[in-house]
Structures are given as structure tokens and as C-alpha cells.
Amino acid sequence: MALALIASAGTHSNEYLARHLAELGFPRPVMVASGGEARRRLDGRDFAVVVVNSPLPDEFGHELALHAVELTHAGVILLAKAGTAEQVADTLQGQGVLVVSKPFTALQFRQAVQMAASCYHRMDGLRAENDRLADKIAQLRLVDRAKCFLIEHRGMTEAAAHRMIEKQAMDSRRSRGEIAQEILEQAQEED
């Protein structure tokens, strides 16, 4: 289940925000009353949406919004009075924070939450793809290190080392990375 965080000092506004978040699939948003508490909560959890209702008792809120963008993959929304929202919008929106002017309608808030959640889901897909590619690169580096070892210490050509790793991987139905890891472990045992 996707999680949402609300950083807001107002009891009435907390109920309003929580009710709309619940209708959009965030049934139990985590509510905090200060920027400091929000930072502590952001540290260990994966929130899909972070809503900062400015001002907060210990800070305005734009610092917290930027912190949430840097630390998490959450869609971040800053709610600010109209004049203030206009002043900070360019800077914050360039950093990935959605700025919504107060007062706002329920429809505007719901649309902002939907956009923030969409950004989170898109980022989540990109993060998974990035992890997959990073694993593939790590495996290629491992295979290259094993080939270099075979070339330098076993007198093989690059093509022969490559063929040997591929053949052992196919014959044993394991990945080339696993075979390369075994070769490198054997090399360490020999030293």
C-alpha cells in the first residue's frame, strides 16, 4: 500500500487533507506537525506522496519540500498562500515540487495529489530499470575482470577467455557473472 506524509500544523486542515488523500488511495497518511518530525519520518520510509502545508511551526516548509525531493522518490506538494506561492513556485517547481496556492478547491488538491502520485510511480519504474541496468553493468565488469585474469595468468586470448566463460555458463545453466565470480575466487585462493 502506498504511503503519504502530511506535514501540517493545523488540525482542521489535517482532517481535510487526510480525507482527500484517503479517497485517492492513501487511507492512513502519516501526519506530523513540524519540519523536524517530517525529516525524521522521511528517513526510513518510502512515501509516494508528501504534502507540506506551509507555514510549519519550525520552518516555512519549502526547505522540507526540497529535502523530500532530494531524499525520496515521492511526489512532493507544497501548499502556500497565494502571494508566497508565486514567489517560490519557479524555484521549487524547477526542483520537482508541485506548488499549490491557498485557498484551493478540492478538485485542485486532488489533481495535485494525482500528479504527485503519477510522478512517484514513474520514478519507481525508472528506479527499477536503473537497478536492473546497474546489475547488468556490474555483471559485465565482473566478466571482464575474469577475462583479464584468464588472459594475464592463463595465457588465453580474449576470444578464448570469453568462449570459456560462455561455455561454462551454458553447460551449468548459470549466469556468466556467477562463472566469472568463481574464476576470480579461485584466483584469490591461488594467491
Side-chain angles (χ1 to χ4, degrees):
M1 175 181 10
L3 293 174
L5 173 73
I6 299 172
S8 174
T11 307
H12 177 67
S13 57
N14 288 353
E15 292 171 8
Y16 175 85
L17 298 172
R19 185 176 70 246
H20 285 292
L21 283 169
E23 291 170 2
L24 292 169
F26 302 98
R28 292 190 198 127
V30 175
M31 289 192 239
V32 296
S34 69
E37 178 65 19
R39 281 180 176 78
R40 284 188 288 282
R41 295 290 182 100
L42 284 171
D43 224 4
R45 309 224 13 222
D46 186 26
F47 290 99
V49 176
V50 174
V51 179
V52 180
N53 185 14
S54 67
L56 298 171
D58 56 345
E59 63 181 271
F60 175 71
H62 69 287
E63 305 94 341
L64 173 60
L66 290 172
H67 177 76
V69 166
E70 291 171 9
L71 185 67
T72 71
H73 296 285
V76 181
I77 302 168
L78 176 73
L79 307 174
K81 289 185 180 174
T84 308
E86 290 172 11
Q87 291 175 352
V88 298
D90 288 339
T91 304
L92 294 180
Q93 288 174 343
Q95 298 292 320
V97 177
L98 294 167
V99 179
V100 178
S101 296
K102 294 193 266 188
F104 49 83
T105 66
L107 178 63
Q108 288 171 321
F109 179 69
R110 292 171 64 92
Q111 287 174 337
V113 171
Q114 288 169 335
M115 283 191 290
S118 293
C119 290
Y120 169 77
H121 292 300
R122 181 169 170 86
M123 286 293 291
D124 200 38
L126 293 172
R127 181 176 49 191
E129 177 69 9
N130 189 40
D131 291 345
R132 187 186 69 75
L133 291 173
D135 288 344
K136 189 169 186 145
I137 289 170
Q139 188 179 64
L140 290 171
R141 285 185 177 146
L142 195 61
V143 169
D144 283 345
R145 284 182 42 222
K147 285 196 296 188
C148 285
F149 170 79
L150 292 171
I151 291 167
E152 290 176 14
H153 295 13
R154 299 287 191 264
M156 294 181 152
T157 65
E158 194 271 337
H162 181 80
R163 229 181 354 266
M164 182 189 122
I165 292 171
E166 290 249 325
K167 182 166 179 7
Q168 284 184 11
M170 284 191 294
D171 290 348
S172 63
R173 294 188 176 150
R174 293 184 295 163
S175 72
R176 293 180 310 155
E178 290 174 302
I179 301 300
Q181 184 66 42
E182 281 182 9
I183 291 169
L184 293 171
E185 286 172 1
Q186 289 172 356
Q188 285 179 345
E189 289 173 5
E190 291 174 7
D191 287 341

